[in-house]
Amino acid sequence: MGRRGADVIVDYLVQQRVPYLVGVCGHGILGLLDAAYDRGGDIKTISTHDERIAGFIADAYYRVSGRPIATYTSCGPGSVNIVMAIAGAMFDSSALLAITGNVPTSQFNRGPFQESGKYFQGDFPSVIRGYVKRSYQAVRPEMLPLMLSQAFALMASGRPGPVNLDVPLNVFVEDVGDEVAVPLWRPDAVAAPAPSAEALRRVAELLGEAERPIILAGNGAMAPRARALVRELAATLRVPVVTTPLGKGVLDERDDLCLGPTGRNGTYAANKAARTADVILALGTRFDDRASSSWIPGVTFSIPPTRLIHVDIDPQEIGRNYPPTLAVIADTAEFAAALLATSAAAQAPTAAEGRAGWLAQTLAWKRQWEADIAARQADPAVPIRPDRLVAELQRAVPDDAIVLADVGVHHNWLLQQMAAPPAGRLLQAWGFASMGFGVGGVIGAKLASPGSPALTVCGDGGFLMHANAVATAAEYDIPAVWVVWNNSGYGSIRGQQATFFGAGREIATRFRKAATGELYSTDISAIARAMGADGARIDGPDEVADAVAAAIKSDRPTVLDVRVDNDVAAPSTGSWDLPPLPGPVPDYGW
């Protein structure tokens, strides 16, 4: 055989310095795997036990490294299965290349084994279209070079996101000739959008007039350069900073200026400051419902009368949920750098003196919240109280760790009460909220930053859906740590049943023996050991910190089964409607 379509794909990935192909085999992807075999020294192929885990690995890898990797799945169920993870990456602005195999083009419209599409041939692009920036289908091998170049340009340009390359089986193995030209994508050739001089003048004017300004930092501020510049901007302007949940960790949360995340599970100080502010400088956020207490006026935000300066790289997000006084289409890093270079930055110390009372007030709210939470976190009860578990995790996790919060009730507690590692990251699945992001993503985080401890906190519900990730970590000697928040059920939904329909109206949200009704719990540590990882059960709060520290130090894949009290609710500082069901009134500071 000459140079095949699959060779073009793999060679391009190598040229783009993509280190990993992650996925699950199948007949539709055989040609790609054969080409990967030939380039095994340049790109490593990792086989998972579920396609969703491959997607979660790629999602977390990009969030940590800022570089996309590629997934591979076969036609039919294999590629359909990865869609959930791809959707999570799309909603949370994470880039990856999802390569999906399809049936041979000669069999299109004949209904062969695992062909997608009853009304259009080989129609997997319609399956995934709503969850990617674009889906390309190459029905001839000579189409691949341009598609690959465009896919890489699109993934990382503007608001990052996943792109799909759908390839029929025959296109992988057909000859494209040795002289095929592949236009290389050069990330360094793209300049991110920056604010105009007029926009900066108006921003400076609005901030100069403000008596109670805040900076609201979102996911668009989480890239390394953006984080550094936003930290510098906050320190220079001396303006308090609140974050969206996905922006948590933009500032060191021990900094007096950092008030924490907003929304239904935000901190008291963040929600209080956000609804009290007269000017909000919002950087890279879309104001979704959970971060803004379902847009209920006066709970998290009061826009208007609060004046909003909305800075975002995606024009579709401007004005989607709140009317801006000033809209700026710009990359967060470019905006922060430009604003720091203006006269407003030079005049900031004088302006801050006039707002000393505001800074003192926001710090008082922060200190009140910290004191009240610390009192809750001292509880020695067994089963372990969630507050106490968060405090023990905080004590054990190194400053440079990468912590992933999977989807479940534990996520609410981590978001509200655990500070993001100041030299590491706290990663979350937010917009699509796919259970399993943390279970699989912790592997991607560790691959992206091998020198950093990588730990995920996941519920027993989410872990049991995706426990096969532990086997992948054991196979490839990836020393990830899983802390399983074991409360015998789907705790967040159980809480919502009680909130919206009344206490005691519980059904299908706790794990119970059908015959007796007693709570049921899987021996999760035994599952881990059966897969070749280390596993231990934790029953008391005094065991947690030492167990987590030992798991990190062991440099082994380790699962800790931590038994947690499911009858304790977190303080509510915001709200969340499920129309027509009204959200609860906050029970703290209201």
Side-chain angles (χ1 to χ4, degrees):
M1 289 185 290
R3 192 161 181 243
R4 303 161 295 174
D7 297 318
V8 172
I9 296 171
V10 174
D11 290 349
Y12 191 85
L13 296 178
V14 171
Q15 289 172 326
Q16 289 294 328
R17 298 184 293 116
V18 173
Y20 297 105
L21 262 172
V22 189
V24 179
C25 63
H27 74 280
I29 207 80
L30 281 171
L32 182 71
L33 291 176
D34 190 68
Y37 177 88
D38 289 336
R39 298 299 302 267
D42 301 307
I43 184 169
K44 184 172 183 178
T45 300
I46 294 178
S47 173
T48 63
H49 298 279
D50 186 286
E51 291 86 356
R52 291 167 295 180
I53 295 299
F56 294 139
I57 288 172
D59 183 354
Y61 188 96
Y62 179 81
R63 297 197 205 195
V64 174
S65 71
R67 299 283 303 180
I69 60 174
T71 63
Y72 64 90
T73 53
S74 188
C75 46
S79 292
V80 169
N81 203 27
I82 202 174
V83 171
M84 186 179 83
I86 300 301
M90 181 67 175
F91 277 79
D92 292 342
S93 305
S94 190
L96 61 93
L97 179 65
I99 304 171
T100 54
N102 210 323
V103 301
T105 57
S106 62
Q107 294 183 351
F108 276 11
N109 285 321
R110 302 191 71 178
F113 182 55
Q114 297 182 335
E115 181 181 16
S116 297
K118 184 176 181 181
Y119 303 105
F120 192 83
Q121 66 272 9
D123 199 16
F124 181 74
S126 286
V127 175
I128 202 171
R129 182 175 291 130
Y131 303 112
V132 291
K133 294 183 78 173
R134 183 165 176 180
S135 177
Y136 296 90
Q137 188 180 67
V139 294
R140 293 293 306 146
E142 57 266 24
M143 298 170 69
L144 288 169
L146 183 60
M147 286 182 172
L148 285 163
S149 181
Q150 290 180 348
F152 269 79
L154 185 59
M155 270 192 293
S157 297
R159 182 175 174 178
V163 171
N164 170 229
L165 178 63
D166 188 66
V167 185
L169 186 152
N170 58 293
V171 175
F172 282 126
V173 298
E174 288 174 350
D175 193 348
V176 294
D178 293 327
E179 303 303 320
V180 63
V182 182
L184 281 179
W185 158 245
R186 290 182 51 225
D188 59 324
V190 176
S196 66
E198 175 59 18
L200 291 170
R201 186 193 67 76
R202 287 282 291 125
V203 170
E205 182 180 274
L206 287 166
L207 290 175
E209 295 170 355
E211 297 178 357
R212 301 181 307 281
I214 62 168
I215 293 172
L216 171 62
N219 192 33
M222 287 303 290
R225 180 168 176 257
R227 288 173 75 192
L229 286 165
V230 171
R231 290 180 178 189
E232 183 181 354
L233 185 65
T236 300
L237 300 181
R238 298 298 297 164
V239 170
V241 176
V242 304
T243 74
T244 68
L246 278 180
K248 185 177 171 70
V250 167
L251 248 66
D252 185 339
E253 294 188 88
R254 300 170 298 186
D255 191 313
D256 287 349
L257 286 174
C258 186
L259 306 180
T262 63
R264 68 164 185 157
N265 294 112
T267 67
Y268 166 64
N271 280 315
K272 180 77 170 177
R275 64 177 173 258
T276 308
D278 60 355
V279 172
I280 296 175
L281 173 58
L283 304 174
T285 176
R286 58 188 181 87
F287 288 103
D288 71 275
D289 57 334
R290 291 193 296 160
S292 60
S293 295
S294 293
W295 314 290
I296 305 168
V299 178
T300 291
F301 298 110
S302 302
I303 306 170
T306 301
R307 292 179 290 176
L308 172 63
I309 306 167
H310 195 173
V311 181
D312 203 281
I313 200 169
D314 186 351
Q316 293 188 76
E317 300 303 340
I318 301 296
R320 182 196 289 271
N321 290 309
Y322 288 113
T325 302
L326 176 64
V328 183
I329 309 300
D331 172 75
T332 294
E334 295 300 321
F335 174 85
L339 188 58
L340 281 166
T342 67
S343 59
Q347 297 165 3
T350 303
E353 290 177 10
R355 296 193 293 258
W358 172 239
L359 288 168
Q361 180 65 80
T362 57
L363 182 58
W365 294 332
K366 178 184 174 82
R367 293 288 181 258
Q368 174 189 337
W369 172 256
E370 290 172 340
D372 290 346
I373 293 302
R376 294 172 60 105
Q377 291 179 335
D379 196 316
V382 176
I384 305 169
R385 280 183 60 105
D387 321 66
R388 178 65 184 274
L389 176 52
V390 171
E392 295 301 321
L393 289 172
Q394 188 84 69
R395 188 159 68 89
V397 171
D399 283 355
D400 65 340
I402 303 167
V403 178
L404 293 89
D406 203 71
V407 176
V409 73
H410 59 281
H411 175 246
N412 302 340
W413 291 91
L414 293 174
L415 177 64
Q416 186 182 76
Q417 297 186 17
M418 184 175 181
R425 291 287 298 272
L426 176 65
L427 306 181
Q428 311 158 58
W430 189 253
F432 202 66
S434 303
M435 294 180 76
F437 165 76
V439 184
V442 68
I443 296 174
K446 188 65 180 179
L447 292 173
S449 184
S452 302
L455 173 148
T456 183
V457 183
C458 49
D460 53 330
F463 181 82
L464 289 173
M465 289 180 188
H466 303 282
N468 64 82
V470 178
T472 297
E475 289 171 48
Y476 291 92
D477 296 316
I478 301 169
V481 177
W482 289 262
V483 176
V484 181
W485 188 291
N486 193 335
N487 56 15
S488 296
Y490 301 117
S492 62
I493 308 305
R494 177 176 177 248
Q496 289 168 24
Q497 283 180 333
T499 296
F500 293 112
F501 297 101
R505 297 187 64 79
E506 171 199 312
I507 181 171
T509 52
R510 297 208 80 179
F511 306 148
R512 297 184 183 275
K513 287 279 192 179
T516 64
E518 64 180 308
L519 289 179
Y520 167 83
S521 182
T522 302
D523 188 344
I524 287 170
S525 62
I527 291 176
R529 292 191 296 272
M531 291 183 178
D534 294 339
R537 172 170 167 163
I538 309 298
D539 289 297
D542 293 335
E543 305 171 51
V544 173
D546 288 345
V548 172
I552 292 171
K553 186 177 180 181
S554 74
D555 211 32
R556 289 259 306 148
T558 304
V559 178
L560 302 177
D561 180 358
V562 185
R563 303 304 170 110
V564 187
D565 190 334
N566 191 37
D567 292 321
V568 179
S572 172
T573 64
S575 189
W576 189 41
D577 280 348
L578 294 177
L581 304 174
V585 174
D587 61 17
Y588 184 99
W590 195 251

